[in-house]
Amino acid sequence: MSETNMGRMPVGDPIPLRFDPTTKRRLEVLAAGIGPRRFGALVRVAARRLLADPDRVPDALGQARRASADARRITWAERPLDLDPDASTRLNQLAHQFHTDRSAIVRVALHRFLSKAGRFRHPVLSEHARTDLSCRTRVYLNRSTLVRLEKLTARNGDALTAAFVRVAVRRLLDDPGDLAAALGAIGAVRDLTPEVLGPRTNVHFDDDLRDQLDNLAERFDSDRAELMRLAARQLLANPRDLDQAVTEEIYRGDANRGKLLARNTRRQQTADQATAAPAVRTAPSPQGNPFGKRHVFRFDEDTKRRLEELADEYGPRRMSALLRVGIRRLIENPAADEALAQARRVAAPPRTARVDVALDDELLAHLDALADRLGSNRQELVHLAATRILRFHHNIENRMLDEMFRAPNNRKHLLAKHARREEIRRRERGSGT
């Protein structure tokens, strides 16, 4: 320990790390809340916590790799493929030989073709002119591959994508090569682009910490960067006791520990007082009107129309109450991360329709906490809540009443009032029920 640096222990040489932009931004925000120039210490705390429980690393690493692959997964595109009987038979035999399907072999064929197209115009034109294509099958291709193929075919102004696919398939049938390895590497229905990572960040690690990290990486066939991305995600998922842990990481001198912790506490209290603002809470109206500040969210036209139709079943002006029920159910859902991942894999239409929703401060706090945990935002989560309430809206009568009236002591009276109003409304509509 240096006698001139108030207990600050120098750390070792910097090592380069790369995080995805969302993780990097969340780490920076978390570090800024602890104090100035705390990013490196925060990353080292994440590393030490990962090393403290190495038995959990294999499962967590496998889960992180699957999540990364799912994040880059894209929906496939179905396309017809017309072949002559001989080529169709050979393709089926090849699929049977390698225990796969025809689509996977076609995806490999297109990848090889785009990697080394060579002289293709004359074979493509000849293929386009064939008249013996009597066998039709449907194959599933990567959209990114089709985009590259269409750019290649557009060079000469020809719309001959189907002929290009057949030329690629015939080339593979004539020369399969190491097809087993190719099927494992590029045969899956997914985008082949690598994970998007941000610019390099240098973080100082002492020799002992760096050696422990390297040993763990070698043990699980990984590397420093991948383990540190895992450590960062685990830290963000459970950011417990970070102020003290980061302070101890920066100042490792026992003689000055009490003074430094006290100074850190005073600085944190000063920062909290400077940034604290009085919470504005709007009390629920006894008449059951919506409460809280109104927030604007965007939906596609079809989703907004279906929400209005469902909300109208519970009476006029019930959109905010319906969406609050959807948000509360999403917050309570233990599988919210899986629902969000599935929603992201589905291509959504443009969200141009505006919907105003009244949300109280407490519900907003829970929504923001869920967004931080899932790496999302309010807009995305509210849209997810809306789509889920449209799918699962059975038996929500009492929850709608909770949101509309918020008076549990008068539940019986409110239920009766609601039933009378619904009977009158349906009679006016002529439903007779």
Side-chain angles (χ1 to χ4, degrees), residues 41-336:
L42 182 66
V43 171
R44 291 194 296 276
V45 168
R48 295 186 190 281
R49 292 185 175 181
L50 181 76
L51 292 168
D53 194 4
D55 293 337
R56 296 179 57 189
V57 171
D59 292 340
L61 194 59
Q63 184 178 359
R65 288 170 175 172
R66 289 191 295 271
S68 175
D70 288 342
R72 294 180 286 119
R73 193 180 303 276
I74 58 174
T75 55
W76 42 256
E78 185 181 14
R79 291 291 185 272
L81 177 62
D82 295 322
L83 295 171
D84 61 272
D86 178 64
S88 179
T89 301
R90 291 164 61 196
L91 183 61
N92 290 337
Q93 291 174 346
L94 206 59
H96 180 73
Q97 177 184 348
F98 287 91
H99 306 287
T100 185
D101 54 34
R102 291 165 295 188
S103 296
I105 296 177
V106 174
R107 290 192 290 271
V108 172
L110 284 175
H111 181 79
R112 289 181 178 178
F113 182 82
L114 290 171
S115 301
K116 191 176 181 180
R119 300 174 65 88
F120 59 81
R121 181 165 175 75
H122 179 70
V124 168
L125 292 176
S126 300
E127 186 66 41
H128 182 66
R130 297 186 64 146
T131 58
D132 58 341
L133 307 175
S134 58
C135 297
R136 165 166 288 198
T137 185
R138 304 196 75 83
V139 293
Y140 304 99
L141 308 176
N142 291 325
R143 291 189 182 276
S144 57
T145 301
L146 286 175
V147 169
R148 292 176 59 196
L149 186 62
E150 289 168 358
K151 287 182 179 179
L152 183 64
T153 62
R155 289 180 180 178
N156 299 305
D158 300 322
L160 307 177
T161 304
F164 271 84
V165 175
R166 289 198 296 273
V167 168
V169 170
R170 294 185 193 282
R171 286 186 179 182
L172 183 139
L173 292 175
D174 294 338
D175 182 18
D178 189 0
L179 187 55
L183 286 170
I186 60 177
V189 185
R190 60 180 175 85
D191 198 348
L192 302 178
T193 56
E195 185 177 10
V196 178
L197 300 175
R200 186 180 70 180
T201 300
N202 290 329
V203 179
H204 292 266
F205 278 56
D206 60 73
D207 294 340
D208 180 61
L209 182 57
R210 185 174 62 250
D211 292 342
Q212 291 184 58
L213 196 61
D214 289 343
N215 292 336
L216 191 66
E218 183 178 359
R219 176 180 168 187
F220 297 117
D221 192 23
S222 181
D223 54 44
R224 294 177 190 166
E226 185 179 35
L227 287 185
M228 285 310 306
R229 286 192 287 271
L230 173 63
R233 285 190 288 267
Q234 290 184 346
L235 182 78
L236 291 171
N238 187 16
R240 65 184 190 280
D241 303 327
L242 282 184
D243 284 14
Q244 182 174 348
V246 171
T247 300
E248 291 180 351
E249 180 63 37
I250 297 173
Y251 306 104
R252 294 201 184 172
D254 293 335
N256 296 319
R257 177 71 53 83
K259 181 194 296 184
L260 295 168
L261 288 176
R263 187 175 69 179
N264 183 70
T265 301
R266 289 195 301 273
R267 185 182 67 245
Q268 189 64 47
Q269 290 174 348
T270 302
D272 291 343
Q273 293 172 0
T275 58
V280 178
R281 298 294 297 272
T282 306
S285 168
Q287 288 78 26
N289 294 328
F291 58 93
K293 184 179 179 181
R294 303 191 73 82
H295 298 264
V296 177
F297 299 98
R298 298 288 178 176
F299 300 89
D300 57 273
E301 295 290 345
D302 181 64
T303 299
K304 180 181 179 182
R305 176 186 57 78
R306 293 169 60 200
L307 285 170
E308 290 173 341
E309 291 175 355
L310 181 59
D312 191 54
E313 292 296 321
Y314 297 93
R317 300 181 302 279
R318 296 299 182 246
M319 177 73 85
S320 282
L322 178 64
L323 284 173
R324 287 198 297 273
V325 170
I327 292 170
R328 293 184 193 280
R329 293 178 69 173
L330 179 64
I331 293 171
E332 297 165 359
N333 185 6

Side-chain angles (χ1 to χ4, degrees), residues 375-386:
S376 182
N377 53 57
R378 291 181 183 175
Q379 169 63 53
E380 187 177 37
L381 291 186
V382 172
H383 189 274
L384 175 60

